Amino acid sequence: MIEFRELTDDNPVLQQSPLLRAGLCTMEYAAENGGIGLTATKAFQRKFVHWAVEHVNWPGFGLEEAFSVSKVVNEYEFPPIQIVHFLLLQRKLGRHYKGKFLLTKKGKGLLKSPAQLFYELMPFFILEVDHSSYARLDERPIGNWDVWLNVMNVELEAGLSEKQVYGLFYGEGPDWGNAGWREMAVFSSYVLKPLEWAGLVSVHEVEGGDGRSWMHFKTPLWGEALRLETDKMVKAAARH
């Protein structure tokens, strides 16, 4: 069982979601500027994409990273905004009309309610979107969100490396230095990355005996937003 709890607008944990911030920024820009211009292929125009790079505050993708290769950034080169565009259309919070992206009545109604916007976007984003569609590797791992989330609910309490999280489900043989790197990469992009973007998991770089690694932890938003079958096991482990 996976259930997303409805939160209140003043809950500070909502600020931990990069995808929610990107969604709000996009919707506020559209509301304040009479919409967002579209290209011939119906992507957001560069003017907005450049603005978004500067204002969305996306982890690991600031001005320096965005313009390190080229002086222009298109929507497809800034995946967070590409995904937000897709989500807003799918959830009928925005629409394309006469060369612009405009908010719908439903979208305008959620402008001042970050909690309701989170509830509108995140269950759909995590559970229903095909995350392989925007990843470099067009593959998906074996498994399902019910298993992934319930196991990580218990095991991520103290933090785990990417390899350790993968090992929970598929064994500890694969590594970035052997033939199993591809399976790890698919799992990371399909499971761990969406959770990080949603704000449910935080990633921290650490140094150890084997060099640098990235530790994954549940954020406070995880506990506030998710209700899972293994919740009682987490509480029992915490008391112990």
Short mmCIF file of all heavy atoms in Angstrom, two decimals, residues 163-215:
data_model
loop_
_atom_site.label_atom_id
_atom_site.label_comp_id
_atom_site.label_asym_id
_atom_site.label_seq_id
_atom_site.Cartn_x
_atom_site.Cartn_y
_atom_site.Cartn_z
N LYS A 163 25.01 2.07 -4.30
CA LYS A 163 25.26 0.64 -4.47
C LYS A 163 24.52 -0.17 -3.42
O LYS A 163 23.96 -1.23 -3.71
CB LYS A 163 26.76 0.36 -4.38
CG LYS A 163 27.12 -1.11 -4.50
CD LYS A 163 28.62 -1.33 -4.35
CE LYS A 163 28.96 -2.82 -4.37
NZ LYS A 163 30.42 -3.05 -4.21
N GLN A 164 24.50 0.31 -2.18
CA GLN A 164 23.81 -0.41 -1.11
C GLN A 164 22.30 -0.44 -1.32
O GLN A 164 21.65 -1.46 -1.05
CB GLN A 164 24.15 0.23 0.24
CG GLN A 164 25.57 -0.02 0.71
CD GLN A 164 25.94 0.80 1.92
OE1 GLN A 164 25.49 1.95 2.08
NE2 GLN A 164 26.76 0.23 2.79
N VAL A 165 21.74 0.66 -1.78
CA VAL A 165 20.29 0.67 -2.05
C VAL A 165 19.98 -0.32 -3.15
O VAL A 165 19.03 -1.12 -3.04
CB VAL A 165 19.81 2.08 -2.46
CG1 VAL A 165 18.31 2.05 -2.75
CG2 VAL A 165 20.11 3.10 -1.38
N TYR A 166 20.78 -0.31 -4.20
CA TYR A 166 20.59 -1.27 -5.30
C TYR A 166 20.68 -2.69 -4.77
O TYR A 166 19.89 -3.56 -5.13
CB TYR A 166 21.62 -1.02 -6.39
CG TYR A 166 21.52 -1.98 -7.55
CD1 TYR A 166 20.67 -1.71 -8.62
CD2 TYR A 166 22.26 -3.16 -7.58
CE1 TYR A 166 20.56 -2.59 -9.68
CE2 TYR A 166 22.16 -4.05 -8.63
CZ TYR A 166 21.31 -3.76 -9.68
OH TYR A 166 21.18 -4.64 -10.73
N GLY A 167 21.64 -2.93 -3.88
CA GLY A 167 21.85 -4.27 -3.34
C GLY A 167 20.69 -4.79 -2.53
O GLY A 167 20.51 -6.01 -2.41
N LEU A 168 19.89 -3.92 -1.95
CA LEU A 168 18.71 -4.35 -1.20
C LEU A 168 17.77 -5.18 -2.06
O LEU A 168 17.09 -6.09 -1.56
CB LEU A 168 17.95 -3.13 -0.66
CG LEU A 168 18.61 -2.28 0.41
CD1 LEU A 168 17.78 -1.04 0.67
CD2 LEU A 168 18.81 -3.08 1.70
N PHE A 169 17.71 -4.87 -3.34
CA PHE A 169 16.74 -5.48 -4.23
C PHE A 169 17.34 -6.50 -5.19
O PHE A 169 16.66 -7.44 -5.60
CB PHE A 169 16.02 -4.39 -5.04
CG PHE A 169 15.41 -3.33 -4.18
CD1 PHE A 169 16.03 -2.09 -4.02
CD2 PHE A 169 14.22 -3.56 -3.50
CE1 PHE A 169 15.47 -1.10 -3.21
CE2 PHE A 169 13.66 -2.58 -2.69
CZ PHE A 169 14.29 -1.35 -2.54
N TYR A 170 18.62 -6.30 -5.56
CA TYR A 170 19.16 -7.10 -6.65
C TYR A 170 20.49 -7.77 -6.32
O TYR A 170 21.11 -8.34 -7.20
CB TYR A 170 19.33 -6.23 -7.90
CG TYR A 170 18.08 -5.45 -8.24
CD1 TYR A 170 17.98 -4.09 -7.94
CD2 TYR A 170 16.97 -6.07 -8.81
CE1 TYR A 170 16.83 -3.37 -8.24
CE2 TYR A 170 15.82 -5.36 -9.11
CZ TYR A 170 15.75 -4.01 -8.81
OH TYR A 170 14.61 -3.31 -9.09
N GLY A 171 20.94 -7.70 -5.07
CA GLY A 171 22.22 -8.30 -4.72
C GLY A 171 23.35 -7.30 -4.84
O GLY A 171 23.22 -6.24 -5.46
N GLU A 172 24.47 -7.63 -4.23
CA GLU A 172 25.56 -6.67 -4.10
C GLU A 172 26.68 -6.85 -5.12
O GLU A 172 27.73 -6.23 -5.00
CB GLU A 172 26.14 -6.75 -2.68
CG GLU A 172 25.11 -6.40 -1.62
CD GLU A 172 25.70 -6.43 -0.23
OE1 GLU A 172 26.90 -6.69 -0.10
OE2 GLU A 172 24.95 -6.17 0.74
N GLY A 173 26.49 -7.70 -6.12
CA GLY A 173 27.55 -7.91 -7.11
C GLY A 173 27.81 -6.74 -8.04
O GLY A 173 28.96 -6.33 -8.23
N PRO A 174 26.76 -6.16 -8.60
CA PRO A 174 26.97 -5.05 -9.55
C PRO A 174 27.65 -3.85 -8.91
O PRO A 174 27.43 -3.54 -7.74
CB PRO A 174 25.54 -4.70 -9.98
CG PRO A 174 24.77 -5.96 -9.77
CD PRO A 174 25.36 -6.59 -8.55
N ASP A 175 28.50 -3.21 -9.69
CA ASP A 175 29.21 -2.03 -9.22
C ASP A 175 29.53 -1.17 -10.42
O ASP A 175 29.45 -1.61 -11.57
CB ASP A 175 30.51 -2.44 -8.50
CG ASP A 175 31.02 -1.35 -7.58
OD1 ASP A 175 30.55 -0.20 -7.71
OD2 ASP A 175 31.88 -1.64 -6.74
N TRP A 176 29.91 0.09 -10.17
CA TRP A 176 30.25 0.98 -11.28
C TRP A 176 31.50 0.52 -12.01
O TRP A 176 31.75 0.91 -13.14
CB TRP A 176 30.43 2.41 -10.78
CG TRP A 176 29.14 3.02 -10.35
CD1 TRP A 176 28.77 3.35 -9.08
CD2 TRP A 176 28.02 3.36 -11.18
NE1 TRP A 176 27.50 3.88 -9.06
CE2 TRP A 176 27.01 3.89 -10.33
CE3 TRP A 176 27.76 3.24 -12.55
CZ2 TRP A 176 25.78 4.32 -10.81
CZ3 TRP A 176 26.53 3.68 -13.02
CH2 TRP A 176 25.57 4.21 -12.17
N GLY A 177 32.30 -0.35 -11.37
CA GLY A 177 33.53 -0.80 -11.98
C GLY A 177 33.43 -2.13 -12.69
O GLY A 177 34.44 -2.65 -13.18
N ASN A 178 32.24 -2.73 -12.76
CA ASN A 178 32.10 -4.00 -13.47
C ASN A 178 30.91 -3.95 -14.42
O ASN A 178 30.32 -2.89 -14.63
CB ASN A 178 31.99 -5.17 -12.48
CG ASN A 178 30.76 -5.07 -11.57
OD1 ASN A 178 29.71 -4.60 -11.98
ND2 ASN A 178 30.92 -5.51 -10.32
N ALA A 179 30.57 -5.11 -14.95
CA ALA A 179 29.53 -5.16 -15.99
C ALA A 179 28.14 -4.81 -15.46
O ALA A 179 27.21 -4.59 -16.24
CB ALA A 179 29.51 -6.54 -16.63
N GLY A 180 28.00 -4.75 -14.13
CA GLY A 180 26.70 -4.44 -13.56
C GLY A 180 26.37 -2.97 -13.49
O GLY A 180 25.30 -2.59 -13.00
N TRP A 181 27.28 -2.12 -14.01
CA TRP A 181 27.06 -0.67 -13.90
C TRP A 181 25.76 -0.24 -14.58
O TRP A 181 25.08 0.67 -14.09
CB TRP A 181 28.23 0.09 -14.53
CG TRP A 181 28.26 0.02 -16.04
CD1 TRP A 181 28.92 -0.87 -16.81
CD2 TRP A 181 27.56 0.89 -16.94
NE1 TRP A 181 28.69 -0.64 -18.14
CE2 TRP A 181 27.85 0.45 -18.25
CE3 TRP A 181 26.72 2.00 -16.77
CZ2 TRP A 181 27.34 1.07 -19.38
CZ3 TRP A 181 26.19 2.61 -17.90
CH2 TRP A 181 26.51 2.16 -19.19
N ARG A 182 25.42 -0.90 -15.69
CA ARG A 182 24.24 -0.47 -16.44
C ARG A 182 22.97 -0.69 -15.63
O ARG A 182 22.08 0.17 -15.60
CB ARG A 182 24.17 -1.22 -17.77
CG ARG A 182 23.06 -0.70 -18.70
CD ARG A 182 23.05 -1.43 -20.02
NE ARG A 182 22.08 -0.85 -20.92
CZ ARG A 182 22.34 0.15 -21.77
NH1 ARG A 182 23.56 0.67 -21.83
NH2 ARG A 182 21.39 0.63 -22.55
N GLU A 183 22.87 -1.86 -14.96
CA GLU A 183 21.69 -2.13 -14.15
C GLU A 183 21.58 -1.14 -13.00
O GLU A 183 20.48 -0.69 -12.66
CB GLU A 183 21.76 -3.56 -13.60
CG GLU A 183 21.50 -4.66 -14.63
CD GLU A 183 22.68 -4.87 -15.57
OE1 GLU A 183 23.80 -4.41 -15.22
OE2 GLU A 183 22.49 -5.50 -16.63
N MET A 184 22.72 -0.79 -12.39
CA MET A 184 22.70 0.20 -11.33
C MET A 184 22.26 1.56 -11.85
O MET A 184 21.49 2.27 -11.20
CB MET A 184 24.09 0.32 -10.69
CG MET A 184 24.42 -0.80 -9.73
SD MET A 184 26.00 -0.54 -8.89
CE MET A 184 25.71 1.02 -8.09
N ALA A 185 22.74 1.93 -13.02
CA ALA A 185 22.38 3.21 -13.60
C ALA A 185 20.89 3.28 -13.92
O ALA A 185 20.24 4.31 -13.70
CB ALA A 185 23.20 3.46 -14.87
N VAL A 186 20.33 2.19 -14.41
CA VAL A 186 18.90 2.15 -14.72
C VAL A 186 18.08 2.30 -13.44
O VAL A 186 17.12 3.08 -13.39
CB VAL A 186 18.54 0.82 -15.44
CG1 VAL A 186 17.02 0.64 -15.51
CG2 VAL A 186 19.14 0.79 -16.84
N PHE A 187 18.47 1.59 -12.40
CA PHE A 187 17.76 1.69 -11.12
C PHE A 187 17.85 3.10 -10.55
O PHE A 187 16.87 3.66 -10.07
CB PHE A 187 18.35 0.69 -10.13
CG PHE A 187 17.76 0.79 -8.75
CD1 PHE A 187 16.50 0.26 -8.48
CD2 PHE A 187 18.45 1.43 -7.73
CE1 PHE A 187 15.95 0.37 -7.21
CE2 PHE A 187 17.90 1.55 -6.47
CZ PHE A 187 16.64 1.01 -6.20
N SER A 188 19.03 3.67 -10.62
CA SER A 188 19.24 5.01 -10.08
C SER A 188 18.38 6.04 -10.80
O SER A 188 17.73 6.88 -10.17
CB SER A 188 20.72 5.40 -10.18
OG SER A 188 20.93 6.68 -9.64
N SER A 189 18.36 5.98 -12.12
CA SER A 189 17.61 6.98 -12.88
C SER A 189 16.11 6.77 -12.80
O SER A 189 15.33 7.72 -12.86
CB SER A 189 18.06 6.97 -14.36
OG SER A 189 17.73 5.73 -14.97
N TYR A 190 15.68 5.52 -12.61
CA TYR A 190 14.25 5.23 -12.61
C TYR A 190 13.64 5.35 -11.21
O TYR A 190 12.47 5.71 -11.07
CB TYR A 190 13.98 3.82 -13.14
CG TYR A 190 12.54 3.59 -13.55
CD1 TYR A 190 12.15 3.73 -14.87
CD2 TYR A 190 11.57 3.23 -12.62
CE1 TYR A 190 10.83 3.53 -15.26
CE2 TYR A 190 10.26 3.03 -12.99
CZ TYR A 190 9.88 3.18 -14.31
OH TYR A 190 8.58 2.99 -14.68
N VAL A 191 14.44 5.08 -10.17
CA VAL A 191 13.90 5.04 -8.81
C VAL A 191 14.47 6.16 -7.93
O VAL A 191 13.73 6.96 -7.36
CB VAL A 191 14.16 3.67 -8.15
CG1 VAL A 191 13.63 3.65 -6.72
CG2 VAL A 191 13.52 2.56 -8.97
N LEU A 192 15.79 6.21 -7.81
CA LEU A 192 16.40 7.15 -6.87
C LEU A 192 16.28 8.60 -7.33
O LEU A 192 16.00 9.50 -6.53
CB LEU A 192 17.87 6.79 -6.64
CG LEU A 192 18.11 5.45 -5.94
CD1 LEU A 192 19.60 5.18 -5.79
CD2 LEU A 192 17.41 5.42 -4.59
N LYS A 193 16.51 8.84 -8.61
CA LYS A 193 16.47 10.22 -9.10
C LYS A 193 15.08 10.84 -8.98
O LYS A 193 14.95 11.98 -8.51
CB LYS A 193 16.96 10.28 -10.55
CG LYS A 193 17.16 11.68 -11.09
CD LYS A 193 18.18 12.46 -10.26
CE LYS A 193 19.58 11.90 -10.37
NZ LYS A 193 20.57 12.73 -9.64
N PRO A 194 14.01 10.16 -9.37
CA PRO A 194 12.67 10.75 -9.16
C PRO A 194 12.37 11.04 -7.70
O PRO A 194 11.73 12.05 -7.38
CB PRO A 194 11.73 9.68 -9.73
CG PRO A 194 12.55 8.94 -10.73
CD PRO A 194 13.93 8.92 -10.17
N LEU A 195 12.81 10.17 -6.79
CA LEU A 195 12.59 10.41 -5.37
C LEU A 195 13.35 11.64 -4.89
O LEU A 195 12.86 12.42 -4.07
CB LEU A 195 13.00 9.19 -4.56
CG LEU A 195 12.14 7.93 -4.74
CD1 LEU A 195 12.73 6.77 -3.96
CD2 LEU A 195 10.70 8.19 -4.32
N GLU A 196 14.56 11.82 -5.42
CA GLU A 196 15.34 13.02 -5.08
C GLU A 196 14.67 14.26 -5.63
O GLU A 196 14.55 15.28 -4.93
CB GLU A 196 16.76 12.89 -5.64
CG GLU A 196 17.64 14.08 -5.34
CD GLU A 196 18.97 14.04 -6.06
OE1 GLU A 196 19.23 13.05 -6.78
OE2 GLU A 196 19.75 14.99 -5.92
N TRP A 197 14.21 14.22 -6.87
CA TRP A 197 13.56 15.38 -7.48
C TRP A 197 12.26 15.74 -6.76
O TRP A 197 11.92 16.91 -6.63
CB TRP A 197 13.31 15.12 -8.96
CG TRP A 197 14.56 15.16 -9.79
CD1 TRP A 197 15.84 15.31 -9.34
CD2 TRP A 197 14.65 15.05 -11.20
NE1 TRP A 197 16.72 15.30 -10.39
CE2 TRP A 197 16.02 15.14 -11.54
CE3 TRP A 197 13.71 14.88 -12.21
CZ2 TRP A 197 16.47 15.08 -12.85
CZ3 TRP A 197 14.15 14.80 -13.53
CH2 TRP A 197 15.52 14.91 -13.85
N ALA A 198 11.54 14.72 -6.31
CA ALA A 198 10.30 14.98 -5.57
C ALA A 198 10.58 15.56 -4.19
O ALA A 198 9.69 16.15 -3.57
CB ALA A 198 9.49 13.69 -5.45
N GLY A 199 11.80 15.38 -3.69
CA GLY A 199 12.15 15.89 -2.37
C GLY A 199 11.98 14.86 -1.27
O GLY A 199 12.09 15.19 -0.09
N LEU A 200 11.75 13.61 -1.63
CA LEU A 200 11.55 12.55 -0.65
C LEU A 200 12.87 11.94 -0.19
O LEU A 200 12.95 11.34 0.89
CB LEU A 200 10.64 11.45 -1.22
CG LEU A 200 9.24 11.92 -1.61
CD1 LEU A 200 8.50 10.82 -2.35
CD2 LEU A 200 8.45 12.35 -0.38
N VAL A 201 13.90 12.07 -1.01
CA VAL A 201 15.23 11.55 -0.71
C VAL A 201 16.24 12.66 -0.92
O VAL A 201 16.13 13.44 -1.87
CB VAL A 201 15.57 10.35 -1.62
CG1 VAL A 201 17.05 10.00 -1.55
CG2 VAL A 201 14.74 9.13 -1.22
N SER A 202 17.21 12.76 -0.04
CA SER A 202 18.31 13.71 -0.21
C SER A 202 19.60 12.93 -0.47
O SER A 202 19.77 11.81 0.03
CB SER A 202 18.48 14.60 1.02
OG SER A 202 18.78 13.82 2.17
N VAL A 203 20.48 13.50 -1.25
CA VAL A 203 21.73 12.84 -1.64
C VAL A 203 22.90 13.70 -1.19
O VAL A 203 22.92 14.91 -1.44
CB VAL A 203 21.78 12.62 -3.17
CG1 VAL A 203 23.06 11.88 -3.55
CG2 VAL A 203 20.56 11.83 -3.64
N HIS A 204 23.85 13.07 -0.51
CA HIS A 204 24.99 13.79 0.03
C HIS A 204 26.28 13.08 -0.36
O HIS A 204 26.40 11.87 -0.19
CB HIS A 204 24.90 13.89 1.55
CG HIS A 204 23.62 14.49 2.03
ND1 HIS A 204 23.46 15.85 2.20
CD2 HIS A 204 22.42 13.92 2.34
CE1 HIS A 204 22.22 16.09 2.61
NE2 HIS A 204 21.59 14.93 2.70
N GLU A 205 27.22 13.85 -0.89
CA GLU A 205 28.50 13.28 -1.28
C GLU A 205 29.39 13.12 -0.04
O GLU A 205 29.52 14.05 0.76
CB GLU A 205 29.19 14.18 -2.31
CG GLU A 205 30.47 13.59 -2.87
CD GLU A 205 31.08 14.47 -3.96
OE1 GLU A 205 30.46 15.50 -4.29
OE2 GLU A 205 32.16 14.14 -4.45
N VAL A 206 29.98 11.96 0.12
CA VAL A 206 30.87 11.70 1.25
C VAL A 206 32.14 11.04 0.74
O VAL A 206 32.18 10.47 -0.35
CB VAL A 206 30.20 10.77 2.30
CG1 VAL A 206 28.97 11.43 2.89
CG2 VAL A 206 29.84 9.42 1.69
N GLU A 207 33.19 11.13 1.52
CA GLU A 207 34.45 10.49 1.17
C GLU A 207 34.75 9.39 2.16
O GLU A 207 34.59 9.56 3.37
CB GLU A 207 35.59 11.53 1.16
CG GLU A 207 35.47 12.53 0.02
CD GLU A 207 36.75 13.30 -0.20
OE1 GLU A 207 37.81 12.82 0.25
OE2 GLU A 207 36.69 14.37 -0.83
N GLY A 208 35.19 8.26 1.65
CA GLY A 208 35.53 7.12 2.50
C GLY A 208 36.77 6.41 1.99
O GLY A 208 37.51 6.94 1.16
N GLY A 209 36.97 5.20 2.48
CA GLY A 209 38.16 4.45 2.08
C GLY A 209 38.20 4.12 0.62
O GLY A 209 39.28 3.96 0.04
N ASP A 210 37.05 3.98 0.01
CA ASP A 210 37.00 3.64 -1.42
C ASP A 210 36.79 4.87 -2.30
O ASP A 210 36.38 4.77 -3.45
CB ASP A 210 35.85 2.64 -1.68
CG ASP A 210 36.06 1.34 -0.94
OD1 ASP A 210 37.23 0.95 -0.78
OD2 ASP A 210 35.06 0.72 -0.52
N GLY A 211 37.07 6.04 -1.75
CA GLY A 211 36.87 7.26 -2.52
C GLY A 211 35.51 7.87 -2.23
O GLY A 211 34.88 7.59 -1.22
N ARG A 212 35.04 8.70 -3.14
CA ARG A 212 33.76 9.39 -2.93
C ARG A 212 32.58 8.48 -3.23
O ARG A 212 32.62 7.64 -4.10
CB ARG A 212 33.70 10.63 -3.82
CG ARG A 212 34.73 11.70 -3.47
CD ARG A 212 34.59 12.89 -4.39
NE ARG A 212 35.55 13.94 -4.04
CZ ARG A 212 35.66 15.09 -4.69
NH1 ARG A 212 34.86 15.35 -5.73
NH2 ARG A 212 36.54 15.98 -4.32
N SER A 213 31.53 8.69 -2.48
CA SER A 213 30.28 8.00 -2.74
C SER A 213 29.14 8.95 -2.39
O SER A 213 29.35 10.00 -1.78
CB SER A 213 30.17 6.71 -1.92
OG SER A 213 30.15 7.00 -0.53
N TRP A 214 27.95 8.57 -2.78
CA TRP A 214 26.78 9.41 -2.54
C TRP A 214 25.81 8.65 -1.65
O TRP A 214 25.32 7.58 -2.01
CB TRP A 214 26.12 9.79 -3.86
CG TRP A 214 26.90 10.82 -4.60
CD1 TRP A 214 26.67 12.17 -4.62
CD2 TRP A 214 28.05 10.62 -5.43
NE1 TRP A 214 27.61 12.81 -5.39
CE2 TRP A 214 28.47 11.89 -5.91
CE3 TRP A 214 28.79 9.49 -5.81
CZ2 TRP A 214 29.57 12.06 -6.74
CZ3 TRP A 214 29.88 9.65 -6.63
CH2 TRP A 214 30.26 10.93 -7.09
N MET A 215 25.57 9.22 -0.48
CA MET A 215 24.67 8.61 0.48
C MET A 215 23.26 9.14 0.30
O MET A 215 23.05 10.34 0.10
CB MET A 215 25.16 8.88 1.90
CG MET A 215 26.52 8.28 2.23
SD MET A 215 26.52 6.47 2.20
CE MET A 215 25.54 6.12 3.67
#
